[in-house]
Amino acid sequence: MSADTLSVSILPGVGPQRQRTLGLLGIETIADLLTYYPFRYEDRNAKAGRELADGARVTVRVTVDGMPGVKYRGKRASTTMVPVVTEDVRRLHAVWFNQPYVKDQLKPGRKMTITGKYDAKRRSISVAHHDFVVAGETVHSDRIVPVYEVKADITPKILRNLLAHAVKTYGEQVDELLPMILRQKYKLLDRCPALQQIHFPKDGEHLHQARRRLVFEEFFLFQLKLQAFRWLHRHEQPGVSHPIPEEALATFAERLPFAMTGAQRRVAGEIVRDMQSPVPMNRLVQGDVGSGKTVLAFLALYAAKVCGHQGALMVPTEILAEQHYRAAQELLEPLGCRVGMLVGSQKEKERRQVLAEMESGDVDVVIGTHALLEEGVRFRSLSVVITDEQHRFGVEQRSIFRQKGHAPDVLFMSATPIPRTLAMSVFGDLDVSVVDELPAGRQPIQTYWITPDKEERALRFIRGELVKGRQAYIVCPLVEESEKVEGVVNATALYEMLKDWFAGYEVGLMHGKLKAAEKEDVMRRFTKNEIQVLVSTTVIEVGVNVPNSTAMMVYNAERFGLAQLHQLRGRVGRGEHASSCILMSKPDTDAGLERMKAMVATQDGFVLAEKDLHLRGPGEFFGVRQSGIPEFKLGDLLQDAKIMEVARGEVQECLRAADFWTLPSYQPLVHYLKREKVLLQRAGD
């Protein structure tokens, strides 16, 4: 039988309770156990007594040389000490804190190996309860020892013992997934010895080769799922062809109040070619803040209408939905497009009317929020779906949106520049376009980093902008005062203070706790310059467009990631006037200091994204768990970026092969796709 189907309950010592605990770790089969990788390793090769370094974590072989003594302090605290002698006849004390039960195992004359922190002054080693073994038990000492995440009654010792038994007894029953040609090409270990060495490596080189093989496998299988899904989507689900007339495209361009940039024209051509093909479009459009991606979205929506279908644009906030709705009405309705909006705060009568018009086809273009995903939302003929700020939506949400049409063309928009390393893993199934040119006339935003003692000077500068008839954003991380976070400015208190500072001007307050209608009212007044200073949390981060705003000040800037700071900064500099962004921060970490320096040094969102990725890591890059960023068991998107790139290329080569689905050497991969439900059914199966 395969290790994939054998239950861990067949292992010695795994009863119902332990099986349940292993299940909490995601371990249900022998294969799950064998692929439950260590998160680090410890060198527990024993040292001689004379080699022990003060303060270091050490492993040493000793003989118990006396009776253990237990000292109690209070009702629970205790210290167990036992004299020991090392192999080179050095006398020490082994110490266990709050583990009086160990004294029964510390018999005079017993030989054992202990691991712990060495205190040279006291000549003692502090030992954790699972860090000593009887001499001869080499699974836990006298080697490079794996360290695992554990839960409840599963201790590191228990897990290592289970793995040692599983490797020895069932290691040969793991399925080999990688074709021989790839293993030979990259000199990769076979899967069985790789799994043995990842858990119990002979030495550092064996560990390196095991990890190299298994990371390649993990990335290869991940890319296989992405690319196979794309292959099936393109070859087995015919989409809607949009034969867009040239004159319609010319009419659209003429309606624009500005000339498209070269980058916009290039990406528009890529979108049009995709839409003209019967193969469903699956494209990500990346562009820095203010690069003009929305126009490209409107072009795709217009093309759907011209070809007799409907298009929908989903955005993360109602403020952004209304902003796009107004812009779409202004641009598209003169071209014959009927535009509708669907958001959560709509009154029931208005909502029912919009839903009826969508289902009957009386609206051609719908702008909406998550409300578009709800059951009961139906279209007559939805052929284009567009997700703006796509990382704000989870993988399942994007999938539900796509299913509102029949194999529609799909366009994702992102103003959060995504480093190539991350784009390959999160969006490996997409074509990627980059709008890498800002519209003519845009002036660079001057960015300054100041410390809190310069606050008044910065506020005077902002007042000077107000005198010129301009507007300003003041951003801070918290809505209200928090007992948990000291020294962090909150929007509510800052709003009260700034009303006096900017006497004679209207100061508004915006944050996530306001009701939707209240947010809409504040934003509408700010857009009309009825509010001159908007004190806000990061709810204004995405999409808000007020060209008259020329100044921004961010309090506690060290609390934001680079991508978020760049998004915030992009709220100014959207008009013809020179703009400034002031970051007030006194960072107490090296990473915080690096973020401030990077923001001052560049306005290139892609440069900042790479920096942010390295400072915070992939898991925190977007700041939301549902973003679709994969959590790999072993691979690291930064450390192993080259392996991901190679794996992606090899998967593409495999899928291009005419005999991929039938050649015996590829059958383990085909079965894997079936098991993962990527390949549900193929003709002839």
Side-chain angles (χ1 to χ4, degrees):
M1 290 184 69
S2 167
D4 286 307
T5 57
L6 291 172
S7 170
V8 287
S9 62
I10 67 173
L11 295 174
V14 179
Q17 177 57 46
R18 187 158 288 170
Q19 185 178 2
R20 282 192 291 271
T21 308
L22 287 168
L24 296 176
L25 294 171
I27 300 172
E28 295 181 354
T29 66
I30 297 296
D32 293 335
L33 180 62
L34 292 174
T35 55
Y36 189 77
Y37 301 124
F39 70 90
R40 66 180 175 88
Y41 298 84
E42 289 186 355
D43 184 353
R44 293 195 184 177
N45 286 299
K47 295 183 178 294
R50 63 178 176 277
E51 297 174 335
L52 304 184
D54 185 36
R57 186 169 170 80
V58 299
T59 297
V60 62
R61 285 190 284 268
V62 298
T63 303
V64 176
D65 192 37
M67 295 297 293
V70 180
K71 296 180 180 179
Y72 287 90
R73 290 185 179 179
K75 293 182 178 180
R76 300 182 65 183
S78 66
T79 303
T80 303
M81 297 182 66
V82 61
V84 295
V85 60
T86 68
E87 289 185 319
D88 56 348
V89 202
R90 304 264 168 166
R91 293 192 173 278
L92 307 172
H93 275 93
V95 182
W96 286 261
F97 294 104
N98 299 318
Q99 300 167 66
Y101 50 85
V102 300
K103 67 177 182 178
D104 296 331
Q105 303 175 52
L106 304 176
K107 308 291 185 184
R110 168 164 277 186
K111 295 182 181 298
M112 59 186 187
T113 303
I114 60 175
T115 298
K117 185 176 180 180
Y118 178 58
D119 185 329
K121 184 178 180 180
R122 293 182 173 82
R123 294 178 63 80
S124 65
I125 297 177
S126 300
V127 187
H129 71 281
H130 55 269
D131 284 342
F132 71 100
V133 294
V134 176
E137 292 184 12
T138 56
V139 170
H140 311 289
S141 66
D142 296 307
R143 65 178 311 130
I144 297 174
V145 173
V147 182
Y148 304 88
E149 295 281 356
V150 294
K151 279 183 183 290
D153 61 331
I154 304 292
T155 66
K157 266 189 177 181
I158 289 172
L159 196 55
R160 279 195 289 269
N161 283 331
L162 291 175
L163 271 156
H165 185 87
V167 166
K168 182 178 179 181
T169 309
Y170 304 105
E172 300 290 340
Q173 298 180 36
V174 296
D175 296 328
E176 178 59 76
L177 296 171
L178 296 182
M180 175 66 76
I181 190 170
L182 283 181
R183 304 202 304 275
Q184 292 177 339
K185 181 177 180 179
Y186 294 106
K187 296 181 173 59
L188 299 173
L189 292 177
D190 289 347
R191 196 170 191 230
C192 174
L195 287 170
Q196 291 172 345
Q197 291 300 312
I198 200 71
H199 292 292
F200 302 107
K202 292 180 181 177
D203 51 40
E205 179 58 23
H206 281 81
L207 175 57
H208 170 73
Q209 292 301 333
R211 186 183 182 279
R212 178 172 164 268
R213 147 69 205 230
L214 294 170
V215 169
F216 183 90
E217 174 188 297
E218 188 172 30
F219 286 173
F220 183 90
L221 295 177
F222 171 76
Q223 287 292 338
L224 182 66
K225 285 195 290 185
L226 282 180
Q227 302 298 335
F229 177 83
R230 176 181 184 169
W231 192 94
L232 294 166
H233 186 63
R234 292 197 162 197
H235 291 81
E236 297 192 352
Q237 293 187 55
V240 178
S241 175
H242 296 87
I244 312 160
E246 285 292 330
E247 56 268 26
L249 296 174
T251 301
F252 178 86
E254 289 169 5
R255 276 288 307 165
L256 295 174
F258 50 80
M260 278 191 175
T261 64
Q264 284 176 311
R265 289 196 299 272
R266 184 187 71 248
V267 175
E270 293 167 350
I271 292 171
V272 168
R273 282 193 296 274
D274 282 354
M275 293 185 67
Q276 288 174 334
S277 167
V279 176
M281 174 170 67
N282 209 29
R283 183 169 292 277
L284 167 68
V285 175
Q286 289 197 79
D288 218 336
V289 175
S291 60
K293 298 177 301 301
T294 304
V295 168
L296 299 169
F298 287 172
L299 171 62
L301 295 169
Y302 171 66
K305 185 277 187 282
V306 167
C307 296
H309 301 284
Q310 294 167 291
L313 169 62
M314 182 169 67
V315 299
T317 67
E318 291 198 6
I319 293 172
L320 194 52
E322 181 164 345
Q323 185 172 294
H324 283 333
Y325 172 61
R326 302 297 180 204
Q329 282 183 314
E330 185 176 341
L331 177 63
L332 299 180
E333 288 197 338
L335 295 173
C337 284
R338 293 154 297 181
V339 182
M341 182 172 69
L342 188 69
V343 295
S345 66
Q346 280 173 314
K347 293 180 180 178
E348 187 58 30
K349 181 179 179 181
E350 183 182 358
R351 173 184 167 80
R352 281 201 303 268
Q353 181 179 341
V354 174
L355 289 173
E357 291 173 343
M358 291 163 61
E359 192 165 3
S360 67
D362 287 340
V363 293
D364 306 302
V365 169
V366 180
I367 314 290
T369 58
H370 295 77
L372 288 167
L373 305 177
E374 294 173 6
E375 289 186 28
V377 174
R378 299 182 184 89
F379 293 82
R380 181 184 61 82
S381 179
L382 181 64
S383 68
V384 176
V385 297
I386 305 174
T387 307
D388 195 14
E389 288 305 313
Q390 56 75 37
H391 66 272
R392 297 295 187 97
F393 300 95
V395 176
E396 283 188 28
Q397 291 173 314
R398 298 198 294 260
S399 177
I400 291 169
F401 191 28
R402 179 181 303 195
Q403 291 167 21
K404 297 292 182 179
H406 175 71
D409 284 339
V410 178
L411 191 62
F412 300 106
M413 316 286 284
S414 178
T416 301
I418 303 163
R420 186 166 178 270
T421 307
L422 207 53
M424 275 198 305
S425 57
V426 183
F427 309 114
D429 59 331
L430 302 180
D431 294 310
V432 179
S433 297
V434 179
V435 187
D436 52 5
E437 183 181 353
L438 291 177
R442 279 285 172 89
Q443 298 190 42
I445 303 164
Q446 295 299 316
T447 304
Y448 306 95
W449 167 33
I450 65 170
T451 49
D453 57 307
K454 303 290 194 305
E455 178 184 14
E456 283 197 21
R457 182 177 171 185
L459 291 174
R460 284 197 298 270
F461 170 80
I462 291 173
R463 189 175 181 87
E465 290 296 293
L466 302 185
V467 170
K468 296 175 189 175
R470 314 285 179 247
Q471 293 165 269
Y473 297 96
I474 309 287
V475 182
C476 48
L478 298 180
V479 176
E480 297 169 329
E481 187 175 0
S482 170
E483 295 179 2
K484 297 179 181 179
V485 188
E486 294 183 6
V488 178
V489 176
N490 70 86
T492 306
L494 189 60
Y495 166 70
E496 294 298 332
M497 186 268 280
L498 293 181
K499 283 195 294 186
D500 294 331
W501 243 100
F502 296 118
Y505 296 95
E506 188 68 24
V507 179
L509 175 63
M510 172 80 104
H511 54 71
K513 290 187 177 181
L514 294 177
K515 294 178 180 177
E518 294 172 318
K519 291 181 196 172
E520 298 289 341
D521 181 60
V522 171
M523 205 62 238
R524 195 175 293 109
R525 291 174 61 209
F526 187 61
T527 302
K528 294 179 178 179
N529 201 4
E530 294 171 6
I531 291 174
Q532 287 75 50
V533 178
L534 184 60
V535 179
S536 177
T537 56
T538 57
V539 291
I540 53 96
E541 175 187 351
V542 174
V544 174
N545 185 26
V546 182
N548 192 48
S549 298
T550 59
M552 170 175 286
M553 184 168 170
V554 182
Y555 282 75
N556 295 111
E558 75 280 355
R559 295 186 64 82
F560 302 99
L562 275 175
Q564 197 169 35
L565 287 173
H566 184 58
Q567 283 284 319
L568 288 168
R569 177 169 60 184
R571 298 312 102 214
V572 297
R574 305 181 76 84
E576 58 184 318
H577 309 293
S579 297
S580 303
C581 177
I582 302 167
L583 306 174
M584 191 168 76
S585 172
K586 192 174 182 180
D588 55 5
T589 65
D590 290 341
L593 185 63
E594 288 295 313
R595 283 200 289 273
M596 295 305 103
K597 289 180 178 178
M599 284 295 296
V600 173
T602 183
Q603 291 185 47
D604 188 320
F606 287 92
V607 172
L608 291 172
E610 285 286 355
K611 184 76 172 177
D612 205 21
L613 180 61
H614 283 82
L615 286 174
R616 297 199 292 162
E620 298 299 320
F621 180 77
F622 286 130
V624 286
R625 271 207 166 272
Q626 65 165 8
S627 62
I629 298 173
E631 292 186 8
F632 296 107
K633 285 185 176 183
L634 201 57
D636 183 292
L637 285 172
L638 299 182
Q639 176 184 336
D640 305 313
K642 182 63 177 176
I643 299 179
M644 175 68 85
E645 191 170 349
V646 171
R648 185 171 188 257
E650 290 295 344
V651 165
Q652 289 172 337
E653 286 298 314
C654 283
L655 292 175
R656 285 193 195 108
D659 52 2
F660 173 78
W661 305 103
T662 56
L663 201 67
S665 60
Y666 290 131
Q667 287 312 293
L669 297 178
V670 175
H671 290 310
Y672 171 79
L673 290 173
K674 290 179 179 178
R675 191 167 65 245
E676 293 294 308
K677 299 182 180 178
V678 173
L679 184 63
L680 296 179
Q681 184 177 8
R682 284 185 51 77
D685 280 2

